[in-house]
Amino acid sequence: EAGVTQFPSHSVIEKGQTVTLRCDPISGHDNLYWYRRVMGKEIKFLLHFVKESKQDESGMPNNRFLAERTGGTYSTLKVQPAELEDSGVYFCASSQWDRGETQYFGPGTRLLVL
Amino acid sequence: AQTVTQSQPEMSVQEAETVTLSCTYDTSESDYYLFWYKQPPSRQMILVIRQEAYKQQNATENRFSVNFQKAAKSFSLKISDSQLGDAAMYFCAYRSVPGTYKYIFGTGTRLKVLA
């Protein structure tokens, strides 16, 4: 069974540019999460999809971030325009729908905004 | 709001020895889950161990065990017979049972295993 995959693994962009991160969850997992870790700090929750619906987007920093999950499969996270403080590692995770769920994480996308 | 604190940014252990990583959390909830995740260098995070708050028995997974002290809000991870492959960042995480499924993470502890 394939794990959670993320693309790209690394991205270096200039301030003001747009970047789109992609996450493919484990097949059959209805729940998909985005998290971000800024250098040296804790991993912070961004948002949670259940199938194609946004269940919780309380962690989204501002309206420069747009997440979508078309058809309830893969998800994209777009940052437009990118700012220096958006640099960090963006993790995606997925889980099945049950009470004791464990989230399975992807390898992350390392974003550097110059 | 819930918080998770890992007070040890870095730890070292000799191969075959035992090491304990600390994690404390703050919550007013009575039912929740606690997790330890491991992230080896340049690899993805994987679950090490999970504890359900309503279970008094400490979880164990082979060489990994936890010391869960609910009243003290403490959730430490003990690694016995440390191996070189245990070298990684270890993250402690909290998840409420009702409501949101999001994890709240600590800042992580980098574990070095010395040969």
Side-chain angles (χ1 to χ4, degrees):
Chain A
E1 180 185 87
V4 177
T5 58
Q6 293 186 246
F7 183 83
S9 59
H10 295 79
S11 180
V12 181
I13 61 173
E14 302 263 333
K15 175 183 171 181
Q17 289 185 321
T18 297
V19 63
T20 300
L21 314 180
R22 173 171 170 145
C23 169
D24 286 79
I26 293 172
S27 177
H29 281 192
D30 286 340
N31 295 279
L32 187 148
Y33 310 82
W34 285 98
Y35 293 87
R36 176 175 72 174
R37 185 179 189 220
V38 173
M39 178 70 79
K41 298 195 173 181
E42 72 272 26
I43 300 168
K44 283 194 172 180
F45 168 81
L46 296 178
L47 88 159
H48 169 205
F49 283 100
V50 177
K51 296 184 180 180
E52 67 275 9
S53 299
K54 292 176 184 175
Q55 183 79 5
D56 180 356
E57 50 185 329
S58 61
M60 294 289 264
N62 50 60
N63 58 11
R64 295 186 293 103
F65 289 75
L66 176 64
E68 295 180 325
R69 190 180 183 196
T70 307
T73 55
Y74 71 91
S75 174
T76 58
L77 180 64
K78 183 163 71 174
V79 185
Q80 178 183 31
E83 298 288 346
L84 300 180
E85 64 265 26
D86 300 332
S87 297
V89 182
Y90 289 76
F91 294 100
C92 175
S94 72
S95 70
Q96 293 180 320
W97 188 263
D98 61 50
R99 184 180 185 273
E101 65 161 31
T102 293
Q103 294 181 20
Y104 297 87
F105 283 80
T109 293
R110 192 173 297 274
L111 174 65
L112 179 59
V113 183
L114 301 175
Chain B
Q2 297 84 16
T3 59
V4 175
T5 302
Q6 293 180 251
S7 59
Q8 306 152 317
E10 191 170 290
M11 294 279 286
S12 295
V13 63
Q14 288 290 141
E15 201 175 1
E17 297 293 308
T18 295
V19 65
T20 298
L21 309 184
S22 68
C23 173
T24 58
Y25 59 96
D26 189 25
T27 185
S28 58
E29 298 171 337
S30 60
D31 198 9
Y32 47 86
Y33 287 92
L34 295 165
F35 305 84
W36 278 100
Y37 278 85
K38 165 187 176 182
Q39 185 181 27
S42 301
R43 295 178 60 185
Q44 59 205 87
M45 271 199 292
I46 56 173
L47 178 69
V48 175
I49 202 164
R50 182 178 78 178
Q51 177 78 43
E52 297 164 74
Y54 67 88
K55 289 187 176 179
Q56 293 189 345
Q57 188 173 6
N58 289 326
T60 63
E61 286 288 339
N62 300 313
R63 298 181 296 107
F64 298 87
S65 62
V66 297
N67 183 7
F68 173 48
Q69 301 289 329
K70 191 172 184 180
K73 296 178 184 174
S74 171
F75 182 61
S76 60
L77 175 69
K78 185 171 84 171
I79 306 174
S80 304
D81 185 27
S82 296
Q83 301 175 359
L84 295 177
D86 295 333
M89 278 292 287
Y90 286 80
F91 293 97
C92 179
Y94 170 102
R95 203 215 91 188
S96 300
V97 170
T100 180
Y101 279 31
K102 68 183 180 187
Y103 282 7
I104 298 168
F105 283 92
T107 50
T109 297
R110 182 172 301 281
L111 178 66
K112 295 184 177 181
V113 181
L114 309 174

